[in-house]
Amino acid sequence: MNIWHDLQPDLVRREEYMVFTANSIGSTAVLSFDGAAGLLCLNHLSDSNIGAPNNTGYLPRTCTPEDMPVETVILCSQPLPAMTLVRCRPVGLVIVHLEHGGERKLLLSAACADEFWSACLTVDEIPSANRKALVRYLRYDQQVISQPAASIEFQGLEQAEQYFDACQREYLLRYCGVRPQEGAENLPVG
């Protein structure tokens, strides 16, 4: 099974979707997704004193311009093991603007089963300490992979939904041969 392609389409909707986890809170091993194998692989190791402040994961049945599933930061109170499916909903979008041009986008997703984070509806409701920890970690991580961040921007739910829609359309076009209809707001997911 390739988790990117084989998840049921109705489990990936703009309002609520399943994410498969990659990195756990506190982890210093940074895992990335191997699209061909449908598995996680070790990308790099962080300094032993710098662990991830959030769980991260990937959104099946989406495709970014880099031909990868959408990366997401999972707002959750507990560390989650890699390759766990977590029901989430969008909260916002993080854009890492790179020093040498380009950008990295990550959805901010609230874990629906987490009582604290499921009540978070907007980026503004994320405590500033949590946002600062995420910014510090993303800056560090970008430095480790020799793609330093020039700035990091938080955007709201509307931008997150637009990014989700664009990446889902790209997935449907690239992997399912589905062409979007003119003016179609919400395309079917399967």
Side-chain angles (χ1 to χ4, degrees):
M1 173 181 192
N2 184 320
I3 193 65
W4 188 15
H5 303 298
D6 296 336
L7 192 71
Q8 294 177 332
D10 61 339
L11 295 177
V12 185
R13 301 181 330 260
R14 177 202 299 180
E15 305 79 27
E16 192 174 284
Y17 41 78
M18 296 299 276
V19 171
F20 62 95
T21 60
N23 301 294
S24 296
I25 294 172
S27 176
T28 57
V30 179
L31 305 175
S32 62
F33 185 69
D34 181 318
L39 296 170
L40 297 172
C41 61
L42 180 64
N43 187 307
H44 62 275
L45 297 172
S46 296
D47 183 289
S48 61
N49 295 323
I50 303 180
N54 300 91
N55 297 292
T56 64
Y58 294 92
L59 192 54
R61 300 186 62 82
T62 60
C63 187
T64 66
E66 296 77 28
D67 196 27
M68 292 298 294
V70 169
E71 265 188 285
T72 185
V73 172
I74 305 166
L75 302 172
C76 185
S77 301
Q78 299 295 319
L80 301 170
M83 294 302 285
T84 299
L85 289 175
V86 181
R87 191 169 49 92
C88 295
R89 60 171 183 67
V91 173
L93 185 67
V94 178
I95 301 177
V96 180
H97 299 280
L98 303 175
E99 280 185 6
H100 302 294
E103 58 188 22
R104 175 182 174 195
K105 292 183 179 181
L106 301 97
L107 274 181
L108 283 168
S109 303
C112 294
D114 187 297
E115 191 173 320
F116 177 79
W117 286 109
S118 65
C120 179
L121 301 175
T122 69
V123 170
D124 295 332
E125 294 176 353
I126 299 171
S128 64
N130 294 76
R131 282 186 289 180
K132 287 178 183 176
L134 179 57
V135 166
R136 275 192 308 273
Y137 181 76
L138 288 172
R139 284 189 180 283
Y140 168 79
D141 191 54
Q142 289 301 134
Q143 194 69 37
V144 168
I145 61 173
S146 300
Q147 295 181 2
S151 64
I152 297 175
E153 171 186 6
F154 287 83
Q155 294 186 346
L157 181 59
E158 184 177 338
Q159 291 86 357
E161 289 175 339
Q162 290 170 359
Y163 181 60
F164 174 92
D165 289 345
C167 292
Q168 189 174 59
R169 278 193 304 271
E170 182 61 27
Y171 180 88
L172 290 170
L173 178 61
R174 191 173 294 189
Y175 293 102
C176 304
V178 175
R179 297 213 180 274
Q181 299 171 354
E182 283 297 313
E185 291 296 316
N186 293 311
L187 292 173
V189 290

